[in-house]
């Protein structure tokens, strides 16, 4: 976790490229941000568009303008559902989806990502769930999601989904026993080694910044 | 052609649009012999299919008339229509071009009286209106067509319709036995002026061209506005013929886009600004246009026109590359989705008609030209190889407006003259 | 006239024979037209028909032909008799195709055809075969004024075509602005990096070319003459002078940069760290292989801001209203100077519309990939402080007022101002009041002024989209940024085209032919000076400045400068100017040849004088589309409405015509008249005809002028019918039967 104030001091100067350079160096596919020509087709193509505070193209402009805190604290890039609409339409072929995830992950690593942001919570739960066994345990994943805001909220949410759960049970699409153990991938340890290695490579690439 | 001049002193011009005509005429008016080869049945090219030019809003037919008169009065130019250059061999100063001439099925007895057209029943899509309407299979391409001679579509050769045309003609002009002919033309220099074609709008999938009737291209819009177009100049939408008074003009439809055309096509911004004035001309205060753009490229003196349109209350500008278009099944209106990037405003705007300011690509990609030239990444001719006598002109060399295409063609004429004059000097010396 | 032998050929093809009585037409040609020979043919444009005419020319010694068939715009290949005077009566498009094929219309249709035959016969008898311009000039050397990229290109390209060139450059060296550039913008694949200017090689090529003579430190003291025979006095700074013969002139006098001192809000002049683009080139050249330093203290440059459209695209009326076109790419190039040397330098380009058409898009992309930041915004001010500046602007994407601080260097993209000399149109007092007096470049001894007339904002561009080289001074072509803002690539292309036009003008002058738009025309204005009243109208009104005045103020025609529009003929109150094949008489005779029925006939006669460039083709195409119009009109094509002499109007009215429609091209700012002012002059002249009408006790409606476009094939018939209705309403002319 970095120190926000200290990091912000590096990037105070507006339209100086310090934050842009930071993004280029430390954010996945961040190198592409400078290529945006502000046409806005990504913003218009996004299926979740109306829910974004800042559209991708605007985020790119904010990065160039040195608005470090505003960008990293924004929940906008957490809204990306990886539909790739923007990527296929971008006239400059920017990998916008990847950049959005890269920015979100970077903000998360810096500890400045917005709290109580549902898609961020979902992402975290999903990640923690799947790295444990190497497979996603759908039942536990769903329940962790329901109970993330407390016991009562979880029970209420679970009850509201009762009939769907029942239908899934009848259709043999839901195995209640998964809750207790669940099945794992064949080489769990291998997966963990792989993830560890990936993290090492990633932090090397990021210049060892955490 | 007089027999006395050396074939190396002839200039071959390929393409009879405004660029090819200009190159041919400028050279001919310097006293040079020119063969002008055009693949369609008439000269005039794509400018003949425009209603007005920017920024003066004058009519392309006006300049075409002058050029045709120059041509009619100049015996230095020999015109071949329905002719395509398929091969060029030889070297600077001594080229031989193979020219395939398609049958017109009408010989030069034709007086353009129109009897064959009246006799024939079959109809074909009218390419001079970009297929927006049908025309008879015996036709005069358009009112300004040159040569002023009818054409029979090959589809009616050998049919009853063909016979009808033949028997209707009092002057023995219909010749159904015409066959494709191959000519060899020798020339000292070649000017390649095959012009441009609109990018295939159907490839821009989110805009629904081909899927939605009310999404059309800028070149088709020219025909709608033209009194000699398919609607008699009425700006109506294709789906239901309703007056299109609220029109969206979408810039960079294909251009400036690595998924489509890498280059900027230069003319589209100005074309849309111009077309917004057609809407005003047709519908007065009720005519409304919205121009969706990335950058308005009203270069140099064209800025005046942009400033004029900016002041027009009927024209709105939105800085946005439109994300997608859907057509409302019930109303036929097109709904444009996107974001105005000046301050981030999301829109879903309804229009009567969407006009795609379609990009320009070379009609013949430089790689397909049967002579060696230097190509750019978009397939335009970047330049002539050192020591070559094959020169590009007009939109075969770049995305150009008419004015620049004519400049380019005038320059190409001089480059060709440099070659043939050298041949002439060598002839004199020998 | 004793050796004149006339022949009339009546074609009965294309339905003419079915719709009209050929016998009647033949009778008209013979008895009224007094044609020596009258022949009919069922298919005159066929090889047989044409042979018939050829035979008559050879065997019968026919000198004057009248062909009554289709329009003069049709079948021009067949009816091509260049050595014979010829008129054409338009019976097809002009009569049978524009009149209804009904029994009721038969009589009026026949009358129309009879009249056109009468007119054709009358016209051809007044025509002479043009003998060719006597004002031949055989100089085949091109004068190039200005030794920048445009001028050097024009000289080299002319030389490569085998023509000699004489280059006059006012400074002591060649190369112009381009020689002062560090690099030029990318102009070929892959369009990613600044390129060498190549100016050095070009200068070397020029200096070693035996066809090219270069005079440095020199200006044009006087230009006399006409294409093919210009006499140019060259004044060299050292005081020497020489006179040279040249055939044509390319004016490539380039541009000056817009004075950045007029932009105090951008701190230009307040700190050396604010420069214009030319200033940055200077810094880059001075730095050479080293990094560009901050001018104020030689400090390291870490941040550069480029301000686009500085003093350009300005709608306040203070600065340049236009866009100079080249500056976006130039800023991109200059930002690369920094990025290529040191990627850590921050470079921001603040623009409102980034204008890099064509492959410029690749150059833009390349700059982005090098890390140049582009920001859509409008700069509001530059504040100097110490060795750095603060650039304030409105960010149009983020929609906020903001600023960049600690900027080491600010580059203002100011535009191009043409070096174009004295404008013909500028009122004298405005010139006297001007801060900087315009200095003539060519010092033409022309009656109408010393330089090329300017179009707008001082540029000498052509007004015509299809004809970019149509300057209003034949044989003198502007090239490069003097005629329109442009970059090196475009100036090179432009200058090559201008060189061709110069060569063409020399070849035309050599052969006595007219230049565009009546290219190849061998007729020329002939003046009968003994009738001239020295009124100067022709010398003032000639759109091409072709007519000078001698010491007694008689007009002096310079035929090689003339474009054969006939504006002088239209202007002349005493009718002493004419062409051999187009004169007061050729048209006047047609007007008088029409048979005007008496006032009780209910058959008015309306004369249409139609510009042959646009209105006549429109009427013609109306016929082709079978758009019907009143049978009472008689159409006469004229070279330009400017050539319409008032006598034709009075003649027509005294002959009993009921109305006159004059159809010409659009005039005003976006004029479409091919002869610049013809249609406008006609409309001014006709606005004064009211008095004449009143004196003749005629209604003012009897003469009307219209702007007609070539596309008006549906509108023209409507105009005609509406006018016929007006005539019907005011009644027949009271002047019938007096002539």
């Amino acid at each position: 976790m970095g120190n926000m104030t200290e990091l912000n001091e590096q990037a105070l100067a507006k339209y100086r490229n310090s934050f842009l350079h930071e993004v280029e160096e430390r954010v996945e596919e961040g190198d592409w941000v400078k290529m945006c020509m502000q046409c806005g087709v990504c913003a218009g193509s996004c299926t979740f568009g109306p829910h974004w505070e800042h559209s991708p193209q605007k985020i790119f402009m904010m990065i160039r303008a040195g608005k470090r805190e505003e960008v990293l604290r924004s929940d906008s890039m957490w809204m990306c559902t990886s539909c790739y609409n923007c990527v296929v339409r971008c006239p400059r072929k920017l990998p916008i989806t990847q950049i959005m995830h890269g920015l979100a992950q970077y903000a998360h690593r810096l500890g400045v990502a917005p709290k109580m942001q549902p898609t961020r919570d979902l992402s975290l739960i999903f990640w923690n769930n799947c790295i444990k066994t190497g497979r996603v345990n759908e039942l536990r994943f769903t329940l962790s999601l329901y109970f993330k805001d407390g016991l009562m909220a979880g029970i209420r949410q679970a009850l509201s989904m009762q009939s769907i759960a029942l239908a899934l049970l009848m259709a043999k699409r839901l195995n209640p026993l998964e809750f207790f153990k669940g099945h794992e991938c064949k080489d769990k340890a291998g997966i963990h080694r792989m993830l560890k290695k990936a993290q090492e490579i990633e932090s090397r690439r990021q210049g060892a910044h955490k | 052609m007089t027999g006395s001049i050396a074939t190396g002193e002839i200039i071959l011009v390929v393409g009879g649009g405004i660029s090819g005509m200009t190159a041919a005429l400028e050279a001919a008016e310097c006293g040079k012999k020119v063969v002008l080869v055009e693949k369609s049945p008439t000269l005039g090219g794509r400018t003949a299919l425009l209603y007005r030019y920017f920024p003066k809003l004058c009519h392309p037919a006006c300049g075409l008339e002058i050029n045709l008169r120059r041509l009619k009065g100049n015996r230095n130019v020999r015109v071949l229509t329905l002719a395509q250059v398929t091969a060029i061999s030889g070297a600077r100063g001594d080229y031989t071009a193979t020219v395939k001439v398609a049958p017109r099925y009408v010989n030069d007895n034709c007086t353009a009286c129109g009897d064959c057209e009246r006799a024939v029943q079959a109809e074909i899509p009218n390419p001079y209106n970009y297929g927006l309407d049908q025309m008879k299979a015996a036709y005069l391409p358009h009112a300004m067509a040159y040569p002023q001679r009818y054409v029979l579509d090959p589809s009616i050769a050998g049919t009853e319709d063909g016979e009808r045309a033949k028997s209707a003609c009092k002057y023995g002009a219909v010749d159904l036995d015409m066959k494709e002919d191959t000519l060899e033309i020798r020339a000292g220099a070649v000017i390649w002026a095959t012009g441009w074609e609109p990018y295939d709008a159907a490839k821009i999938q989110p805009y629904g061209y081909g899927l939605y009737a009310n999404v059309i291209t800028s070149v088709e819009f020219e025909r709608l506005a033209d009194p000699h177009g398919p609607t008699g100049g009425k700006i109506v939408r294709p789906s239901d013929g309703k007056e299109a008074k609220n029109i969206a003009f979408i810039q960079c439809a294909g251009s400036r886009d690595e998924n489509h055309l890498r280059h900027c096509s230069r003319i589209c911004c100005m074309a849309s600004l111009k077309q917004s004035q057609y809407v005003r001309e047709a519908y007065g205060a009720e005519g409304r246009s919205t121009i969706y753009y990335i950058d308005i490229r009203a270069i140099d003196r064209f800025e005046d026109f942009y400033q004029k349109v900016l002041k027009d209350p009927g024209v709105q500008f939105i800085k946005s590359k439109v994300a997608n278009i859907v057509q409302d099944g019930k109303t036929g209106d097109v709904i444009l989705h996107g974001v105005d990037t000046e301050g981030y405003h999301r829109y879903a705007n309804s229009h009567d008609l969407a006009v795609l300011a379609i990009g320009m690509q070379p009609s013949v990609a430089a790689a397909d030209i049967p002579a060696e030239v230097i190509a750019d990444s978009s397939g335009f001719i970047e330049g002539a190889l050192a020591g070559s006598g094959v020169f590009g002109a007009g939109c075969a060399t770049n995305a150009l407006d008419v004015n620049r295409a004519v400049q380019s063609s005038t320059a190409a004429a001089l480059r060709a003259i440099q070659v043939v004059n050298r041949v002439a000097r060598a002839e004199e010396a020998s | 006239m004793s050796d004149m032998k006339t022949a009339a050929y009546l074609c009965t093809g294309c339905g003419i024979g079915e719709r009209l009585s050929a016998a009647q037409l033949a009778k008209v040609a013979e008895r009224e037209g007094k044609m020596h020979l009258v022949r009919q043919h069922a298919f005159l444009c066929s090889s047989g028909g044409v042979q018939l005419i050829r035979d008559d020319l050879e065997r019968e010694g026919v000198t004057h032909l009248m062909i009554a068939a289709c329009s003069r715009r049709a079948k021009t290949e067949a009816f091509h008799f260049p050595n014979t005077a010829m008129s054409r009566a338009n019976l097809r498009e002009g009569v049978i195709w524009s009149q209804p094929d009904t029994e009721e219309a038969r009589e009026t249709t026949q009358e129309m055809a009879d009249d056109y035959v009468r007119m054709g016969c009358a016209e051809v008898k007044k025509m002479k075969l043009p003998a060719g311009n006597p004002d031949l000039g055989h100089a085949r050397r091109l004068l190039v004024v200005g030794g920048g990229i445009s001028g050097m290109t024009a000289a080299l390209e002319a030389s490569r075509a085998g023509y000699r060139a004489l280059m006059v450059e006012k400074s002591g060296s060649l190369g112009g602005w381009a020689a002062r550039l560090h690099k030029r913008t990318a102009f070929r694949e892959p369009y990613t990096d600044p390129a060498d200017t190549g100016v050095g090689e070009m200068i070397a090529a020029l200096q070693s070319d035996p066809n090219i003579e270069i005079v440095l430190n020199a200006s044009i003291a006087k230009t006399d003459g006409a294409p093919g025979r210009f006499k140019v006095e060259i004044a060299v700074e050292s005081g020497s002078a020489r006179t040279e013969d040249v055939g044509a002139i390319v004016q490539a006098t380039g541009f000056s940069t817009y004075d950045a001192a007029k932009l105090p809000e951008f701190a230009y002049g307040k700190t050396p760290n604010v420069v214009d683009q030319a200033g940055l080139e200077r810094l880059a050249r001075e730095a050479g292989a080293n990094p560009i330093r901050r001018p104020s203290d030689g400090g390291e440059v870490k941040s550069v801001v480029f301000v686009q459209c500085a003093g350009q695209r300005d709608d306040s009326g203070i600065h340049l209203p236009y866009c100079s076109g080249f500056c976006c790419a130039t800023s991109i190039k200059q930002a690369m100077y920094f990025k290529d040397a040191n990627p850590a330098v921050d470079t921001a380009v603040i623009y409102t519309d980034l204008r890099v058409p064509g492959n410029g898009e690749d150059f833009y992309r390349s700059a982005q990939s090098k890390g140049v930041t582009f920001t859509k915004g409008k700069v509001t001010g530059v504040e100097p402080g110490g060795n750095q500046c603060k650039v304030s602007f409105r960010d149009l994407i983020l929609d906020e007022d903001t600023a960049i601080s600690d900027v080491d260097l600010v580059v203002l993209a100011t535009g191009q101002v043409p070096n174009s000399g004295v404008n013909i149109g500028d009122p004298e007092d405005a010139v006297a009041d001007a801060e900087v007096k315009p200095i003539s470049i060519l010092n033409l001894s022309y009656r109408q002024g010393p330089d090329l007339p300017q179009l707008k904002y001082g540029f000498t561009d052509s007004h015509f989209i299809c004809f970019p080289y149509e300057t209003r001074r034949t044989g003198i072509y502007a090239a490069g940024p003097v005629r329109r803002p442009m970059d090196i690539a475009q100036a090179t292309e432009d200058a090559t085209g201008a060189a061709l036009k110069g060569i063409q003008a020399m070849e035309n002058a050599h052969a006595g032919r007219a230049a565009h738009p009546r290219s190849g025309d061998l007729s020329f204005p002939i003046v009968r000076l003994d009738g001239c009243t020295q009124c100067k109208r022709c010398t003032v009104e000639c759109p091409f400045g072709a007519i000078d005045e001698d010491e007694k103020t008689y007009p002096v025609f310079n035929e090689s400068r003339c474009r054969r529009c006939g504006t002088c003929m239209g202007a002349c109150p005493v009718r002493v100017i004419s062409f051999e094949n187009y004169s007061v008489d050729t048209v006047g005779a047609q007007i008088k040849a029409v048979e005007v029925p008496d006032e009780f006939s209910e058959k008015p006669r309306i004369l249409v004088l139609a510009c042959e460039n646009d209105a006549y083709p429109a009427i013609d195409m109306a016929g082709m589309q079978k758009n019907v119009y009143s049978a009472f009109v008689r159409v006469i094509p004229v070279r330009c409405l400017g050539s319409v002499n008032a006598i034709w109007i009075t003649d027509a009215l005294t002959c009993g015509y009921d109305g006159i429609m004059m159809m010409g091209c659009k005039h005003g700012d976006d004029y479409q008249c091919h002869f610049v002012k013809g249609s406008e002059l006609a409309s001014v002249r006709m606005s004064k005809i009211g008095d004449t009408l009143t004196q003749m006790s005629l209604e003012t409606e009897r003469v009307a002028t219209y702007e007609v476009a070539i596309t008006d094939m549906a509108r023209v018939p409507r105009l005609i019918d509406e006018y016929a209705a007006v005539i019907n309403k005011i009644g027949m002319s009271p002047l019938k039967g007096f002539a």
Side-chain angles (χ1 to χ4, degrees), chain B residues 313-393:
Chain B
V315 185
Q316 194 193 347
F317 288 82
I318 297 180
K319 182 177 154 40
S320 168
K321 183 171 175 70
V322 172
N324 75 320
I325 302 176
V326 285
Q327 186 171 316
D328 185 310
K330 282 199 191 103
T331 62
D333 292 349
V334 286
I335 324 267
L336 274 58
H337 295 275
V339 162
D340 176 355
T341 60
E342 286 195 352
Y344 187 24
H345 307 288
R346 201 162 284 282
Y347 59 78
N349 292 346
S350 182
H351 296 277
D352 295 330
L353 186 67
V355 179
L356 308 180
I358 199 72
M360 238 187 199
Q361 64 185 18
S363 287
V364 180
D368 299 332
I369 295 173
E372 249 192 299
V373 290
I374 302 171
D376 74 7
S377 60
S378 299
F380 292 109
I381 301 171
E382 188 179 276
L385 285 173
S388 165
V390 180
F391 308 99

Side-chain angles (χ1 to χ4, degrees), chain A residues 178-196:
Chain A
E178 286 279 311
F179 183 76
F180 301 104
K181 175 124 194 325
H183 56 286
E184 312 181 330
C185 70
K186 277 180 190 154
D187 182 12
K188 196 164 78 174
I191 290 279
H192 286 155
R193 275 199 307 280
M194 203 174 78
L195 286 168
K196 190 158 173 265

Side-chain angles (χ1 to χ4, degrees), chain A residues 106-124:
Chain A
Y106 183 57
H108 171 68
R109 273 194 291 142
L110 293 178
V112 296
K115 306 281 182 282
M116 308 293 284
Q117 209 291 334
T119 49
R120 175 171 171 264
D121 292 342
L122 181 132
S123 306
L124 286 174

Side-chain angles (χ1 to χ4, degrees), chain B residues 158-320:
Chain B
T159 68
E160 263 181 59
D161 253 344
E163 293 303 325
R164 278 190 205 105
K166 190 178 164 72
S167 54
C169 182
K170 295 187 195 78
Y171 306 106
V174 174
D175 177 359
L176 296 166
D177 298 326
M178 272 189 190
K179 294 277 177 290
E180 184 183 87
D181 199 6
T182 303
L183 306 175
E184 294 219 318
I185 292 173
R186 296 187 61 190
V190 179
I191 295 175
W192 196 271
T194 46
W196 65 285
E197 62 184 15
Y199 182 72
D200 179 4
K203 288 185 184 164
I204 315 167
Q205 185 262 343
Y207 293 165
Y209 178 86
L211 186 65
Y212 305 132
N214 295 336
V215 178
I216 64 170
T217 64
S218 43
V219 288
E220 291 166 344
F221 191 71
E222 285 293 323
R223 301 315 304 143
L224 282 191
D226 194 322
H228 309 289
T231 57
K234 290 197 180 68
I235 300 176
V236 295
R237 53 189 204 182
S239 73
D240 53 7
K242 186 187 144 188
E243 291 184 332
K245 294 180 173 174
N246 171 9
I247 299 182
F249 292 96
I250 299 175
Q251 300 310 297
C252 302
S255 307
R256 300 183 69 185
D257 191 332
E258 294 185 51
N259 304 303
H260 303 286
L261 303 172
R262 294 178 58 78
H263 60 274
C264 159
S265 297
R266 183 191 287 270
I267 61 155
C268 338
C269 286
M270 285 303 294
S272 291
L273 293 175
K274 170 189 75 174
Q275 291 179 343
S276 75
Q277 301 306 294
Y278 296 173
V279 185
R280 297 289 269 172
E281 181 191 21
Y283 297 119
E286 283 181 68
R288 282 188 296 132
S289 300
T290 309
I291 296 177
Y292 297 86
Y293 72 99
I294 305 174
D295 293 285
I296 293 288
R297 292 186 165 169
I299 299 270
D300 64 54
R301 288 206 290 106
F302 292 156
E303 179 71 15
D304 281 359
F305 193 74
Y306 175 39
Q307 293 298 334
K308 185 181 126 193
V309 178
L310 267 178
K311 291 185 183 85
D312 182 340
V315 185
Q316 194 193 347
F317 288 82
I318 297 180
K319 182 177 154 40
S320 168

Side-chain angles (χ1 to χ4, degrees), chain C residues 245-549:
Chain C
D245 293 314
V246 296
I249 301 171
V250 169
Q251 181 183 333
T253 42
F255 67 99
S256 308
T257 51
Y258 184 68
D259 184 4
K262 290 182 183 164
L263 300 164
E265 64 273 34
F266 295 154
Y268 186 88
K270 291 182 193 159
T271 160
N273 296 340
V274 176
V275 296
D276 62 6
Q277 289 183 328
L280 190 85
E281 294 295 334
R282 199 165 46 241
L283 292 178
R285 280 172 68 82
E286 281 164 12
N290 300 313
I292 297 168
R293 312 295 296 187
R294 194 162 57 200
S296 64
D297 63 344
E300 190 188 344
V301 173
K302 290 182 186 158
S303 167
V304 191
V305 171
F306 293 86
V307 180
Q308 296 311 109
C309 306
Q312 302 194 64
R313 300 180 63 194
D314 177 65
D315 60 359
S316 69
I318 300 168
H319 303 300
L320 305 178
Y322 52 86
C323 153
S324 291
F326 74 98
C327 353
C328 283
T330 296
S331 288
I332 288 172
K333 173 193 75 174
Q334 295 185 337
M336 286 183 183
Y337 291 171
F338 294 97
K339 282 290 184 187
D340 288 344
N342 176 11
V345 178
D346 288 344
T347 51
V349 178
I350 305 177
Y351 69 95
T352 48
D353 292 285
L354 205 75
R355 293 181 169 175
V356 282
N359 294 307
E361 199 64 24
D362 275 337
F363 199 42
Y364 175 23
R365 270 189 284 255
S366 170
Q368 285 181 300
S369 71
K370 289 177 181 188
V372 180
T373 297
F374 291 85
T375 300
K376 184 171 164 99
K378 232 180 154 60
V379 176
T380 48
V382 177
E383 275 173 63
N387 287 313
Q388 291 182 313
C389 296
K390 182 176 155 197
V391 179
S392 302
F393 67 104
R394 174 143 198 99
D395 186 319
L396 292 164
I397 298 294
L398 300 179
D399 200 19
E400 61 186 14
D401 293 316
T402 179
I404 310 180
S405 311
D406 305 332
V407 178
D408 300 303
L409 202 52
V410 176
V411 184
L412 306 179
T414 57
Q416 294 180 332
V417 180
N419 298 332
S420 37
V422 180
N423 191 12
I424 178 180
D426 288 344
E428 276 171 33
D429 46 344
V431 174
D433 291 345
E435 271 176 58
V436 185
K437 301 272 174 298
I439 297 164
S440 174
I441 285 165
L442 298 175
N443 284 299
L444 293 165
S445 60
Y446 290 17
R447 158 76 173 81
Q448 289 186 7
D451 282 303
L452 287 176
Q454 295 160 22
L455 183 64
K456 207 171 182 188
Y457 310 133
F459 291 102
T460 52
D461 201 3
S462 151
H463 178 69
F464 300 102
I465 290 157
C466 305
F467 308 111
Y469 293 103
E470 286 329 297
T471 48
R472 284 158 59 187
R473 295 293 177 260
T474 311
I476 308 176
Y477 301 95
V482 67
R483 77 183 194 89
R484 202 167 173 155
M486 60 179 81
D487 62 11
I488 292 179
Q490 203 196 338
T492 307
E493 197 78 349
D494 187 25
T496 309
L500 176 126
K501 295 303 287 189
I503 289 168
Q504 199 179 63
M506 295 193 277
E507 293 300 332
N508 279 332
H510 176 71
R513 297 185 297 241
H516 182 96
R518 295 190 58 83
S519 337
D521 188 353
L522 290 171
S523 75
F524 57 92
I526 297 166
V527 60
R528 192 168 44 80
L529 281 181
D530 53 1
C532 172
T533 59
Q534 299 129 292
C535 75
K536 300 186 190 179
R537 275 180 218 172
C538 58
T539 63
V540 171
E541 291 187 358
C542 172
F544 304 101
I547 314 170
D548 293 331
E549 281 159 26

